[in-house]
Amino acid sequence: MALYGSKAIRGHGIPEAMEQILVNESNIKPSITLLKPISSAIAIGTGGPFGAEGPIIATGGALGSTLGQLFKVTANERKIILAAGATAGMSAIFGTPIAAIFLAIELLLFEFSPRSILPVALACITGAAGHHLLFESGPVFTMPDVAIPSNLALGIYSFMGIFIGFLSLGITKIVYWVEDLFEELPIHWMWWPAPGGLAVGAIGFYAPHTLGVGYDNITGILSGTWPLTLVLSLCIFKFLSWAIALGSGTSGGTLAPLLTMGGAAGAVIGMFILKVFPEAGINIPLAALIGMSAMFAGASRAYLTSIVFALEATMQSHALLPLLGACTGAYIVSFFLMENTIMTEKIARRGVPTPDSFEPDILQKLSVAAVISDTETVINANTTLSEIRGWLGSANIKDTNFIVVNNQGDYAGIIKLTDIYNNNLDENSTLQGIISAKPNIAISNTDTLRRAVEQMSKSGVEILPVLAEDRVIGVLTYKDIINAYGGYIEKSEFAHTRISLKRQRIKMLIKGKRLIDFNSDN
């Protein structure tokens, strides 16, 4: 199916959806809508150690993109429909609509606005209703009720998140290292899933609980009743099976395996802490839950999604603070020590950059009144061509568009430099006679720079009169907008540079080296 259908069905599908959003205007081949679920069903149904959520997200996204291509919509609207389809699939699988909305924001939309959130929210509500209709209305992963942890336990859970963050970093590196090993095989990529499947079968023969989606494994780990040897073997063998299968290009998901490995790692760490420090007050089911969430937060950097998903999937409200502390620790480790995530590494290797922050549009924040400049390009409508030509010659004005006002200072229109020097016009004629009608090209001083840019783009002008109660109070040029934006970029780049240097320092300290920064006084 990958060879004759589409290579995009290989792997877990979310990086491919992200790539289409970022570089291909959210256009996904309609064939993915059929090929992805069929290929994933075959892979998982025959024992592949994957979750069903990744293929469902990819399938829903492909369906949304296909519908967006059938109708005449913009690329941004098609992106929203794609995200709505993808997150509706996740909500239908787990019954977690709020987590699905955050997934759309952090991994697909890369924005937060009413025009995108409302359609996605409606789609997620519909998906959750389908989940309740087809499955059940209770938590997807049942676990014993947890009590409010003490401050000591809360601190330990947070440090556990840091440790899980290092594990997620190692898991991500190993997965792509395995993928690189398959790249070096002297056979066509179509055959890679064969040796991958052989390894999965060999591991599954000795550890059958590693086969399939393994949602029952997650429930078992969260119960806190599984023995240490079983949990530890599940963590190790599930990781080996999943890493080999995913690296071979087999169609499947990543969320369930990450949750399984994270939950097992959290449970093992919790058991060890209880063995050494019985007074710590650690709860094994809660340790497993924060391990699940922290593993996903560290590997994908979907920070809010990881926290909310754990809360919705288990309905354990008392776990909020431990989840927040653990996911924050895992996120810090991932952010400073890993350039790309398990979701973005593949497309980053193809030269596709992915946003790592959701900053407000500076043009939407700044008003026209804050950046308008004084200018000499406001001309009285009664000025003759002879007068304006003489003035332009002596003043060495380089502007190409000029704003015209009447005797009362009211805006009358815009005149171009080419019209002023038109030899077919009488030099004694006034500007009022040249501008035949008052053009609707102006901007209010209370409007945003984004509105001004849209106005300039639609009208094809480089200068706009700034009005206050129909009176011209100044002009706005494209240079004013560029200077305002450049100032913001300069401040933003300074902040990004500081973060980059901090990342380098941390990596050097881990390697036992020092980084000399000549731009710092320290």
Side-chain angles (χ1 to χ4, degrees):
M1 283 186 283
L3 182 65
Y4 297 107
S6 173
K7 290 178 63 175
I9 67 172
R10 303 172 66 221
H12 51 98
I14 295 181
E16 284 72 22
M18 295 172 68
E19 182 177 16
Q20 298 306 312
I21 289 174
L22 293 170
V23 303
N24 197 30
E25 296 185 342
S26 303
N27 290 310
I28 298 178
K29 291 183 178 180
S31 59
I32 302 296
T33 309
L34 293 176
L35 294 177
K36 188 63 179 180
I38 294 175
S39 61
S40 299
I42 294 173
I44 298 173
T46 54
F50 305 107
E53 66 291 327
I56 289 297
I57 290 173
T59 302
L63 177 60
S65 175
T66 301
L67 292 176
Q69 294 172 60
L70 291 176
F71 297 95
K72 293 182 178 180
V73 298
T74 65
N76 188 71
E77 291 169 336
R78 188 161 50 249
K79 177 183 72 172
I80 296 172
I81 300 173
L82 185 157
T87 51
M90 176 181 174
S91 183
I93 290 292
F94 292 110
T96 54
I98 301 177
I101 294 173
F102 281 116
L103 180 78
I105 296 172
E106 294 184 302
L107 295 182
L108 297 173
L109 291 173
F110 307 112
E111 67 168 279
F112 187 92
S113 62
R115 66 178 180 180
S116 60
I117 293 303
L118 292 179
V120 169
L122 292 173
C124 291
I125 293 170
T126 306
H131 173 86
H132 296 161
L133 177 65
L134 298 176
F135 302 104
E136 57 185 10
S137 57
V140 177
F141 304 127
T142 57
M143 62 179 292
D145 291 336
V146 297
I148 299 176
S150 63
N151 287 340
L152 175 60
L154 183 60
I156 294 175
Y157 289 137
S158 300
F159 279 104
M160 284 177 59
I162 295 176
F163 184 80
I164 297 291
F166 281 102
L167 286 181
S168 68
L169 188 152
I171 286 174
T172 302
K173 296 294 183 182
I174 293 175
V175 164
Y176 284 99
W177 175 72
V178 172
E179 185 173 302
D180 292 337
L181 292 180
F182 275 97
E183 291 279 356
E184 296 177 3
L185 290 178
I187 56 176
H188 192 274
W189 58 261
M190 184 187 71
W191 301 106
W192 294 353
L198 184 63
V200 170
I203 295 173
F205 181 79
Y206 293 100
H209 49 285
T210 62
L211 299 175
V213 292
Y215 293 148
D216 55 334
N217 292 333
I218 298 176
T219 303
I221 294 172
L222 291 175
S223 68
T225 59
W226 281 18
L228 175 62
T229 54
L230 179 59
V231 175
L232 190 60
S233 66
L234 177 62
C235 181
I236 296 173
F237 290 118
K238 183 73 173 183
F239 166 66
L240 291 175
S241 179
W242 169 73
I244 295 173
L246 192 65
S248 68
T250 306
S251 179
T254 61
L255 181 55
L258 287 174
L259 295 179
T260 302
M261 292 180 291
V268 170
I269 297 172
M271 293 177 188
F272 174 78
I273 293 175
L274 274 184
K275 185 72 174 179
V276 179
F277 304 106
E279 67 278 2
I282 296 298
N283 181 275
I284 300 301
L286 182 55
L289 180 62
I290 68 167
M292 285 172 42
S293 187
M295 179 66 75
F296 186 59
S300 68
R301 286 213 281 270
Y303 176 66
L304 297 175
T305 304
S306 304
I307 298 172
V308 176
F309 175 82
L311 292 175
E312 283 190 294
T314 61
M315 296 185 181
Q316 297 291 333
S317 59
H318 290 164
L320 176 58
L321 281 180
L323 286 170
L324 187 61
C327 289
T328 301
Y331 187 92
I332 289 174
V333 172
S334 175
F335 179 78
F336 282 104
L337 297 181
M338 191 163 57
E339 293 293 335
N340 300 297
T341 69
I342 199 169
M343 303 295 182
T344 62
E345 176 70 23
K346 182 179 293 186
I347 59 177
R349 293 182 177 187
R350 300 171 186 165
V352 180
T354 53
D356 61 356
S357 61
F358 309 101
E359 299 177 359
D361 184 359
I362 183 61
L363 299 182
Q364 188 73 29
K365 292 173 61 178
L366 291 177
S367 66
V368 172
V371 300
I372 58 174
S373 58
D374 296 330
T375 180
E376 298 177 350
T377 53
V378 179
I379 307 173
N380 190 286
N382 295 321
T383 306
T384 64
L385 285 180
S386 176
E387 293 173 336
I388 190 62
R389 288 172 182 174
W391 173 71
L392 289 175
S394 61
N396 192 25
I397 300 297
K398 297 181 180 180
D399 295 333
T400 58
N401 295 276
F402 304 94
I403 296 176
V404 181
V405 298
N406 57 24
N407 290 333
Q408 289 73 37
D410 296 333
Y411 171 57
I414 293 178
I415 187 170
K416 296 182 179 180
L417 185 64
T418 54
D419 294 332
I420 294 176
Y421 285 102
N422 188 348
N423 294 327
N424 296 325
L425 298 175
D426 184 2
E427 64 179 13
N428 293 322
S429 58
T430 62
L431 299 183
Q432 183 66 52
I434 298 176
I435 50 175
S436 56
K438 179 180 179 179
N440 188 24
I441 304 175
I443 195 75
S444 171
N445 65 323
T446 58
D447 284 332
T448 64
L449 291 186
R450 181 186 178 93
R451 171 65 177 162
V453 170
E454 293 174 353
Q455 187 83 325
M456 287 182 175
S457 177
K458 291 178 181 179
S459 306
V461 298
E462 300 176 353
I463 184 173
L464 287 175
V466 180
L467 306 183
E469 299 180 353
D470 291 332
R471 296 181 64 86
V472 177
I473 62 172
V475 294
L476 179 71
T477 68
Y478 73 94
K479 293 181 180 179
D480 296 327
I481 299 175
I482 292 175
N483 290 336
Y485 189 77
Y488 171 79
I489 292 296
E490 184 178 353
K491 296 178 182 178
S492 179
E493 287 295 329
F494 177 74
H496 285 301
T497 301
R498 292 180 61 188
I499 293 176
S500 178
L501 287 173
K502 287 180 181 178
R503 277 180 169 175
Q504 294 180 42
R505 289 192 184 100
I506 292 174
K507 291 180 180 179
M508 290 294 185
L509 287 173
I510 292 176
K511 295 178 181 179
K513 300 178 180 179
R514 293 181 60 193
L515 175 67
I516 300 176
D517 180 12
F518 292 99
N519 295 321
S520 175
D521 295 331
N522 299 323

